[in-house]
Amino acid sequence: MFYVISLICACTCISILDARFRRITNMSVLGLMALQCSLLIKSEIYLESALLVLTVGFVLFWRRWIAAGDIKLASVLALALPLSQLPMAATLMGLAGGLVSLFYLMLNHWFPNRKKRQVGIPYGVAISLGFCLVIVVHQVPLLLKA
């Protein structure tokens, strides 16, 4: 249970920083990776999932569709999921991204004169939401067995 709570706290901090500064730092991703590697139950680290997300992410980054910090965050979170869970994580991430985008559109519509700090959508929030939901659902049965 400590892993789940720690993961949610770490992803919340990263999401707040991304929403505020539109930047996911290497140090925050390294800290999350240390958490993943040290606290995952029964050493259930899925390198193939992380490498797949990283490879697809490089293509998306090359096309300028996503930022490098977002790719690193998604890759580190994918360490906790088997390949069979990645489509669900990607689906939830996309839905969360739509909600975050809608929120920013409404915010700009309701407060057109507000000082805009950054342009773009903080997609780290959507990545954290989508992946954390699937990770929690995947890890809770393992926690109950242990």
Side-chain angles (χ1 to χ4, degrees):
M1 195 54 129
F2 180 72
Y3 166 71
V4 172
I5 293 169
S6 299
L7 177 70
I8 291 171
C9 289
C11 286
T12 300
C13 290
I14 291 170
S15 296
I16 289 170
L17 291 173
D18 189 29
R20 183 172 168 101
F21 300 110
R22 299 295 194 278
R23 184 168 165 79
I24 299 172
T25 64
N26 289 335
M27 290 306 291
S28 61
V29 174
L30 281 173
L32 182 61
M33 187 169 83
L35 174 79
Q36 291 280 73
C37 292
S38 65
L39 294 180
L40 278 173
I41 297 170
K42 296 181 182 177
S43 297
E44 292 278 338
I45 296 176
Y46 299 97
L47 288 176
E48 64 277 358
S49 294
L51 290 174
L52 177 63
V53 170
L54 193 61
T55 303
V56 171
F58 277 143
V59 172
L60 296 175
F61 176 73
W62 177 67
R63 301 286 299 159
R64 302 274 189 233
W65 291 344
I66 194 167
D70 297 330
I71 296 163
K72 291 180 272 189
L73 176 63
S75 297
V76 168
L77 288 171
L79 284 170
L81 293 174
L83 285 172
S84 63
Q85 299 292 317
L86 284 181
M88 180 57 73
T91 302
L92 290 175
M93 180 181 70
L95 290 172
L99 291 175
V100 171
S101 299
L102 186 61
F103 171 77
Y104 275 90
L105 279 172
M106 290 189 304
L107 190 66
N108 288 334
H109 178 73
W110 289 333
F111 303 105
N113 296 331
R114 77 179 179 92
K115 183 179 175 186
K116 294 178 179 130
R117 287 190 191 134
Q118 302 281 339
V119 290
I121 303 298
Y123 217 76
V125 176
I127 293 168
S128 294
L129 280 172
F131 272 88
C132 281
L133 284 172
V134 178
I135 289 170
V136 168
V137 168
H138 177 73
Q139 291 294 325
V140 167
L142 296 175
L143 287 170
L144 295 176
K145 284 181 188 178

